[in-house]
Amino acid sequence: MKRQPALAITSYLTIYLVWGSTYFFIRQAVLTIPPLWVLAARWVIGGALLLGFAAARGALKPLPSPRAVLSSVVLGSLLILGGNGLITVAEQHLDSYLAALLASSTPILVAVIDPLLLGKRLTFSRVLGVAFGFVGVAVLLYNGHSLAGSLNPSVLIGLAGVVSWSLATSLGHRFPVSGDNTVNSGIQMLFVGLVSLAAGLVTGPSPSTAVAHASTLSLVSVVYLGVLGSLAFAAYTWLVQAEPAERVVSYALVNPLIALFLGLALAAETPTPYLGVGVPVILVGLGFMLYGERLFAWLRGRARSGG
């Protein structure tokens, strides 16, 4: 971090803390607000903020082409509506730390999807990462009696959300979206927010009823998700341009630990029987996914040098 170290440190803290706390605040939001209204408010706020930020720095001149907008809409449907939307629904009955740990397995699923759909080579380090990841998730979800019995509807909905997010992540680069990440994400967020708003108006309850029955913590949580979530994305896009990729992706290892602490310590959520085994195994799997190739290259170099 030779240039702008204060901004880099602030950006890292933002994505660590905000993204690490996202699932905790989703859980607090859906305790008293229907999921569709959580999604509508969060993504309308987030999309409007990102597109406003993009307009302020001239990124909307010229406007993205209809093809780029359509691609963003399709990706947003998979990423945010299918991925985050299903996680939001699941968190009505699923502890936030479990949702976060399931979501942390996204790189592992992407490593499986890429060879199947895109023909990419699955390296040895990724094979290890996939193996550790799947074992870790299975151990994490195991209720001590039956793995099948551990897969309750909320867990299955959450897993479906992770699959949708992973599929979009794998296929995302094939869509001709806007070259500006802020514009692309803003379109996705605003589209999902408006779709959720329309669905909420059709299925009910009315916005006034939803707000009347919402707790103060739930309302604060929605604002937190919409506003600080957008700031975290802005911090992430800056880091991608200014910092080494292997340092930036460290959020995938840090965020689950923050979510775990918040869920167990602040929300008094119930730990699964083998949480202490499943979490380290998942983190080892993520470590192999993110840094395995560099580790094995370093080991080969040491072996050749006789060190």
Side-chain angles (χ1 to χ4, degrees), residues 8-297:
I9 291 171
T10 302
S11 297
Y12 276 113
L13 288 176
T14 300
I15 62 172
Y16 287 167
L17 297 176
V18 175
W19 283 356
S21 62
T22 291
Y23 297 92
F24 171 81
F25 283 103
I26 290 174
R27 173 68 172 157
Q28 303 312 308
V30 298
L31 286 177
T32 62
I33 302 176
L36 279 174
W37 287 118
V38 173
L39 293 170
R42 176 186 182 183
W43 297 120
V44 166
I45 292 172
L49 285 175
L50 283 185
L51 290 177
F53 175 68
R57 58 186 181 82
L60 289 177
K61 293 180 182 181
L63 291 173
S65 67
R67 187 183 183 194
V69 172
L70 179 60
S71 294
S72 293
V73 165
V74 173
L75 276 179
S77 299
L78 286 171
L79 278 169
I80 305 176
L81 192 60
N84 183 269
L86 289 174
I87 286 286
T88 301
V89 171
E91 283 203 53
Q92 292 178 102
H93 306 288
L94 185 68
D95 284 344
S96 64
Y97 81 88
L98 268 178
L101 289 169
L102 289 178
S104 73
S105 65
T106 295
I108 296 163
L109 282 177
V110 169
V112 175
I113 293 172
D114 277 354
L116 293 177
L117 297 185
L118 305 180
K120 291 186 177 180
R121 186 174 64 90
L122 191 60
T123 63
F124 178 67
S125 63
R126 287 182 173 264
V127 170
L128 283 178
V130 169
F132 274 97
F134 279 130
V135 170
V137 170
V139 171
L140 177 73
L141 296 177
Y142 184 54
N143 62 11
H145 304 289
S146 164
L147 184 57
S150 305
L151 299 176
N152 58 61
S154 294
V155 169
L156 293 175
I157 292 171
L159 286 172
V162 176
V163 170
S164 181
W165 186 282
S166 302
L167 180 63
T169 300
S170 184
L171 298 177
H173 68 281
R174 299 214 165 183
F175 287 80
V177 297
S178 167
D180 187 280
N181 284 334
T182 306
V183 173
N184 176 34
S185 296
I187 293 171
Q188 292 180 29
M189 291 179 183
L190 189 59
F191 168 75
V192 170
L194 293 175
V195 168
S196 301
L197 176 63
L201 291 172
V202 171
T203 62
S206 66
S208 58
T209 301
V211 171
H213 288 84
S215 69
T216 301
L217 180 55
S218 290
L219 293 173
V220 169
S221 296
V222 171
V223 174
Y224 177 93
L225 291 167
V227 176
L228 291 186
S230 300
L231 292 177
F233 179 79
Y236 175 74
T237 56
W238 183 85
L239 285 171
V240 167
Q241 296 175 343
E243 287 284 291
E246 64 270 15
R247 190 180 294 161
V248 177
V249 295
S250 62
Y251 77 86
L253 294 171
V254 177
N255 290 168
L257 298 177
I258 293 176
L260 183 65
F261 170 79
L262 291 175
L264 297 182
L266 297 188
E269 295 175 347
T270 305
T272 57
Y274 299 101
L275 177 68
V277 177
V279 171
V281 174
I282 291 174
L283 292 178
V284 168
L286 286 172
F288 276 121
M289 298 298 304
L290 301 176
Y291 304 110
E293 292 184 27
R294 290 171 59 89
L295 172 63
F296 287 125

